Amino acid sequence: MRGILRFGSRPILLYIAAAIVVGLVVSYAVISAPDSPKFQSEEGILDITQVHVSENPIKLNGEWAFYWQELLSPEDIQIRSTRDGNHDHWISIPSSWLGYRLDGQQLPGTGFATFRVVIELSEQDRNERLALRLPTIFHAYKLWVNDELLEEVGVVGQDKSGATPLLSTKLVFFQPENDRVELVMQVANFHHKRGGITKYIELGGSDVLTVRTNLRIAAEMFITASLLVIGVYHLLLFVLRRKDRATLYFGLFTLLFGIRSLLVGELMITQLFPHFPWELQFKIEYLILCIGGYIITKYFDYIFPNYVSRWFRLGSRIATGTLCLVVAVTPALIYSKILLIIGVIVVLHMVYLMVGLVHSAVRRKEGALIFLLVSVVALVTVINDFLYYNEWSLIGNTSPLGLLVFTIAQMILLSSRFTRAASNEERIARELQDANNKLTEMNMNLERTVQERTQALSAAHNDLRTSYDRLLHSEQGRKKLLAYITHDLRMPLSSMLGYVEAVQDRVKPERNEQYLKYIRDNTIRVNRMIEELSFLSLLETGQVSYRMEPVYVSHFLRGFYEQYELVVRDAGLNLILDIGDAEDQRTDLPVVEMDAQRLEQALFNLVSNAMKFTSNGGLVRIALAVDEVNDTRYTIISVQDSGMGIPPDQLEQIFDRNYKYDRPGVEKEVEGNGLGLAICREIVQAHGGTVRAESDGKSGSIFYVSLPCIVHEGR
């Protein structure tokens, strides 16, 4: 780190200019993305007969028929067209009707209207199952496709009392009846400064749009979870060491913008809580934007003290407090009109921040150059989001990714500060010890004085040593926790990757829906792992809670096999499930009180261990048996591999934490951190069971998981 930040003899301004240029290039690369070919509708007709939308989705833009202050159904529009002819007005989509000139007057942001477009499909798409991906539309709407009401978000009404706002992204499916598809949408807005269809609606094949939507959700969940984890972690650091307020403001900033990422983009908050209050959702988002600039300025003030002027602190407090008060006490119809002002205040905070960073970089302050670089990235993404929400940019919701880059860089900076503090304490301890020895030698004749001074120095030394030990223990705990998290995140992510590749490669198209379900389940599992941060660090102390419930072991193993069969086969191995004819012929199937998620984690650790030590073309076999000891039935799950085996004298050690066995002469490199079997043992023991291994050290190994059965009548 110090080598990177050392500028040498070259002019400092050259480095600053390079940092800004690189930051702008990186930011442009982040927010720029290739777009699909554009087809525009003209006078309510979109001709896409030359494109196969089931394989290449498009964004609907162009002219739509526009019926202001009218809520018309498809039948109403058809009757009017037959009676009066075509006298429609046209409006470009996506855009707000705010400022649209109708009969010589500009329309306000509030009101209600009906939109209509007719899409002419190609012959290939007429028999395909299509889908529409609907973004957030301000603020309530109904959608008809070919005279069929397919979606309704919120309640559409003709006044504020009769309309209920709701923001949600939707994916609707339909089967075209012929070569024409008619879309009719009623939209009402009485709660925001602008209404209408302000974002792109995507049309494409159901499978393609479903995969794209799931990937967007997975990416946003990853960014959100990362920001929340980092924020909580630094707040805990502040709780443990209140003297350093930099971790407090950095943790607050990261946590708040992690929460905000739930409220934008794919709107994860409404997917998790469909009835979450709309007004509260908007207020939280705006309050976070208002307070974000002030918090990051306070953080900068603690990282590089004496660079934020007194007048700027005062002005920042007044502006932030005023904006927060306006958002808190006024309805969205009012405070949504000051979004541009909020954006200007936030950008001014960041610009002032970068001026201070340039000044710090000129003075060669450690970390200033990296801080400046990532601040440019974050600034560009934040500015783009403000432009997008004011309909001046086509690239939206880039700030979470920019803030994640910014947050990771700040983690590196804070970690460097902690490391330097620990090194300084070690150096001080050594210097005090040397000083103590010299004083003892020089003052042999002044025994009392020497003893008093030695005792004082020894006490100071002990205090420093105690402080250092605490820091070291905290650092070791953090590394252990990160190792645990890394170990278990690999499991669901590898499974998700396998099924995504299966969908992309069309391995079994008829199972695509099942694969996507597995992807969604694993995504939820990743989120759950991150929320339960303390799980791995508390396993050995028995402080982890388990959701125990009766589970048929054969059903559990069948689901495990179906979920991870593709992962094992992609590794070049064969996975076999042997539960005999138990499911068909036996009425007393073994039932175990278990936390299925935890036990699945333990079982996958065993399968993953077998995969590591088995050559390509080898076999991994999962079997189920039942044994009875002292009137107690036990379910025995065995995981057998055809790998190189384990020396008998090491069968007990393999379950110790961080123990790894590297056997000379193996054909492929075995990777791992030695945590999997230790985690497996802790989980199995928490279920009242045992785990052991057998091997002759030559021809594979077998792991046995023994779990007590419970009495369960019937199937």
Side-chain angles (χ1 to χ4, degrees):
M1 179 66 68
R2 293 180 180 177
I4 295 176
L5 299 177
R6 188 178 295 116
F7 299 100
S9 59
R10 296 186 179 183
I12 187 66
L13 292 178
L14 178 62
Y15 286 92
I16 296 174
I20 295 175
V21 171
V22 171
L24 291 172
V25 171
V26 171
S27 303
Y28 179 79
V30 169
I31 65 175
S32 298
D35 202 356
S36 58
K38 292 185 177 180
F39 295 85
Q40 291 190 349
S41 55
E42 296 181 0
E43 295 187 353
I45 304 295
L46 177 60
D47 184 358
I48 53 173
T49 56
Q50 303 302 317
V51 63
H52 193 187
V53 295
S54 60
E55 295 180 357
N56 301 295
I58 65 169
K59 295 178 178 179
L60 304 183
N61 65 342
E63 295 178 341
W64 289 37
F66 181 60
Y67 306 93
W68 176 243
Q69 296 296 76
E70 294 184 272
L71 297 179
L72 303 177
S73 66
E75 293 80 2
D76 297 334
I77 295 176
Q78 185 176 5
I79 293 173
R80 169 179 291 193
S81 178
T82 303
R83 183 186 62 200
D84 302 332
N86 187 2
H87 300 288
D88 296 339
H89 295 281
W90 315 104
I91 187 172
S92 295
I93 298 297
S95 67
S96 170
W97 62 54
L98 175 64
Y100 176 75
R101 299 194 67 85
L102 182 67
D103 298 331
Q105 295 183 349
Q106 290 187 344
L107 300 183
T110 57
F112 57 93
T114 302
F115 300 83
R116 176 180 178 270
V117 68
V118 175
I119 304 172
E120 297 180 351
L121 300 176
S122 65
E123 294 183 1
Q124 293 176 311
D125 293 322
R126 296 172 188 175
N127 299 320
E128 298 286 346
R129 189 165 183 260
L130 303 181
L132 288 169
R133 182 183 178 274
L134 301 171
T136 55
I137 296 177
F138 287 4
H139 268 110
Y141 66 89
K142 287 184 178 180
L143 172 67
W144 284 267
V145 178
N146 289 338
D147 300 333
E148 180 182 358
L149 180 62
L150 288 189
E151 191 60 65
E152 182 173 3
V153 174
V155 177
V156 177
Q158 298 185 1
D159 52 35
K160 188 173 183 179
S161 61
T164 302
L166 181 65
L167 288 181
S168 180
T169 58
K170 295 290 183 179
L171 191 64
V172 298
F173 305 93
F174 65 94
Q175 183 72 42
E177 298 177 354
N178 47 48
D179 59 351
R180 292 169 65 89
V181 174
E182 180 188 38
L183 304 183
V184 175
M185 182 175 289
Q186 296 177 359
V187 180
N189 171 59
F190 297 97
H191 300 79
H192 196 271
K193 73 168 185 178
R194 57 190 176 95
I197 307 173
T198 60
K199 301 176 183 177
Y200 283 110
I201 297 175
E202 290 186 73
L203 171 66
S206 59
D207 292 340
V208 176
L209 281 186
T210 300
V211 171
R212 286 190 180 183
T213 301
N214 289 335
L215 290 177
R216 287 192 188 102
I217 293 175
E220 289 198 6
M221 288 181 66
F222 172 76
I223 294 176
T224 300
S226 299
L227 291 173
L228 293 176
V229 168
I230 294 170
V232 172
Y233 171 74
H234 283 86
L235 289 178
L236 291 176
L237 284 182
F238 171 74
V239 172
L240 297 175
R241 189 172 183 268
R242 296 178 179 272
K243 184 178 180 180
D244 188 4
R245 290 187 175 270
T247 55
L248 169 64
Y249 290 108
F250 179 67
L252 285 175
F253 177 81
T254 307
L255 182 63
L256 288 176
F257 277 89
I259 295 174
R260 179 182 177 271
S261 63
L262 293 171
L263 309 174
V264 297
E266 294 296 324
L267 291 175
M268 298 304 301
I269 191 69
T270 56
Q271 297 192 29
L272 296 174
F273 307 102
H275 301 291
F276 193 84
W278 173 87
E279 182 73 24
L280 179 59
Q281 173 185 339
F282 246 64
K283 282 187 181 294
I284 293 175
E285 179 186 352
Y286 273 71
L287 286 173
I288 291 175
L289 288 177
C290 293
I291 202 172
Y294 176 76
I295 292 179
I296 199 63
T297 303
K298 294 290 292 183
Y299 167 68
F300 172 76
D301 197 20
Y302 278 96
I303 294 293
F304 303 107
N306 302 323
Y307 282 98
V308 179
S309 65
R310 183 177 179 182
W311 67 265
F312 187 81
R313 289 195 193 99
L314 180 60
S316 176
R317 292 175 183 174
I318 295 175
T320 301
T322 302
L323 292 176
C324 290
L325 183 62
V326 171
V327 173
V329 302
T330 61
L333 188 60
I334 295 178
Y335 65 75
S336 61
K337 297 179 180 180
I338 64 171
L339 179 61
L340 183 60
I341 298 177
I342 295 175
V344 171
I345 297 298
V346 172
V347 171
L348 286 178
H349 276 88
M350 298 189 70
V351 170
Y352 185 86
L353 179 70
M354 285 192 290
V355 172
L357 287 172
V358 171
H359 192 240
S360 300
V362 171
R363 295 178 175 268
R364 301 183 181 181
K365 293 290 184 179
E366 184 176 1
L369 188 59
I370 290 182
F371 205 149
L372 177 62
L373 176 63
V374 298
S375 295
V376 172
V377 176
L379 177 62
V380 172
T381 57
V382 169
I383 292 176
N384 175 78
D385 270 16
F386 278 111
L387 295 177
Y388 174 75
Y389 288 116
N390 283 280
E391 300 184 38
W392 297 334
S393 173
L394 298 179
I395 305 172
N397 198 30
T398 58
S399 59
L401 181 59
L403 291 173
L404 180 61
V405 174
F406 177 82
T407 301
I408 293 175
Q410 299 313 307
M411 285 183 60
I412 297 174
L413 178 60
L414 291 176
S415 299
S416 175
R417 286 162 57 90
F418 275 107
T419 303
R420 188 170 64 253
S423 300
N424 289 337
E425 289 194 2
E426 289 180 344
R427 178 180 54 81
I428 292 173
R430 289 194 302 267
E431 291 176 355
L432 288 174
Q433 185 64 46
D434 293 340
N436 181 41
N437 294 335
K438 291 180 180 180
L439 287 174
T440 302
E441 295 175 358
M442 295 174 59
N443 298 283
M444 294 296 297
N445 297 327
L446 301 174
E447 184 174 353
R448 178 181 299 178
T449 305
V450 169
Q451 289 179 350
E452 293 176 354
R453 294 183 180 180
T454 301
Q455 290 175 356
L457 290 173
S458 179
H461 166 66
N462 291 336
D463 290 341
L464 289 172
R465 175 59 62 181
T466 301
S467 176
Y468 166 71
D469 290 340
R470 289 177 180 173
L471 278 176
L472 184 60
H473 179 72
S474 175
E475 181 67 11
Q476 290 174 346
R478 183 184 67 84
K479 291 181 179 179
K480 184 188 299 182
L481 179 58
L482 290 177
Y484 274 83
I485 294 174
T486 303
H487 181 275
D488 261 31
L489 283 180
R490 188 181 298 113
M491 174 185 65
L493 290 178
S494 62
S495 176
M496 291 164 58
L497 179 60
Y499 287 112
V500 169
E501 292 176 349
V503 174
Q504 290 178 339
D505 297 339
R506 300 181 180 273
V507 176
K508 292 183 178 181
E510 68 277 5
R511 296 182 65 181
N512 281 356
E513 183 175 353
Q514 181 181 9
Y515 290 160
L516 292 175
K517 178 180 180 298
Y518 288 149
I519 293 172
R520 178 182 178 275
D521 291 343
N522 279 318
T523 303
I524 295 174
R525 187 177 297 110
V526 169
N527 190 37
R528 190 183 303 120
M529 287 179 190
I530 297 175
E531 290 175 351
E532 298 173 355
L533 280 175
S534 61
F535 166 65
L536 291 178
S537 63
L538 299 178
L539 261 177
E540 296 176 346
T541 61
Q543 300 181 43
V544 174
S545 61
Y546 290 84
R547 300 186 182 98
M548 309 296 284
E549 58 183 357
V551 175
Y552 286 108
V553 182
S554 57
H555 298 174
F556 167 76
L557 290 179
R558 177 69 63 185
F560 179 87
Y561 172 81
E562 292 177 353
Q563 185 168 359
Y564 295 104
E565 176 190 10
L566 185 59
V567 177
V568 177
R569 293 192 184 278
D570 285 348
L573 305 176
N574 293 319
L575 180 63
I576 295 178
L577 176 63
D578 184 6
I579 57 177
D581 56 356
E583 290 183 305
D584 299 327
Q585 299 181 6
R586 296 185 57 179
T587 59
D588 56 344
L589 297 178
V591 179
V592 171
E593 189 84 14
M594 70 168 72
D595 184 327
Q597 178 192 345
R598 305 297 187 208
L599 202 58
E600 178 185 316
Q601 176 183 349
L603 187 57
F604 182 81
N605 284 348
L606 295 179
V607 173
S608 177
N609 187 72
M611 293 166 59
K612 294 176 185 176
F613 294 94
T614 304
S615 303
N616 288 338
L619 175 68
V620 178
R621 177 175 176 268
I622 302 175
L624 172 63
V626 178
D627 193 10
E628 186 168 342
V629 179
N630 297 330
D631 297 330
T632 302
R633 297 182 68 203
Y634 288 89
T635 293
I636 301 175
I637 303 172
S638 62
V639 178
Q640 181 180 4
D641 63 73
S642 59
M644 60 186 179
I646 305 171
D649 59 344
Q650 300 187 29
L651 289 176
E652 291 299 328
Q653 303 176 37
I654 60 175
F655 293 100
D656 294 337
R657 183 200 303 169
N658 296 327
Y659 176 82
K660 292 191 296 184
Y661 170 64
D662 299 325
R663 186 167 184 175
V666 294
E667 296 180 357
K668 65 179 182 178
E669 181 181 357
V670 178
E671 298 181 355
N673 54 19
L675 294 174
L677 294 181
I679 295 172
C680 176
R681 180 174 62 180
E682 294 295 334
I683 294 176
V684 172
Q685 289 179 350
H687 285 75
T690 60
V691 59
R692 61 185 179 87
E694 291 183 0
S695 177
D696 59 2
K698 299 178 181 178
S699 57
S701 57
I702 306 177
F703 288 82
Y704 295 97
V705 176
S706 179
L707 299 169
C709 297
I710 62 174
V711 178
H712 192 79
E713 299 295 336
R715 288 180 71 91

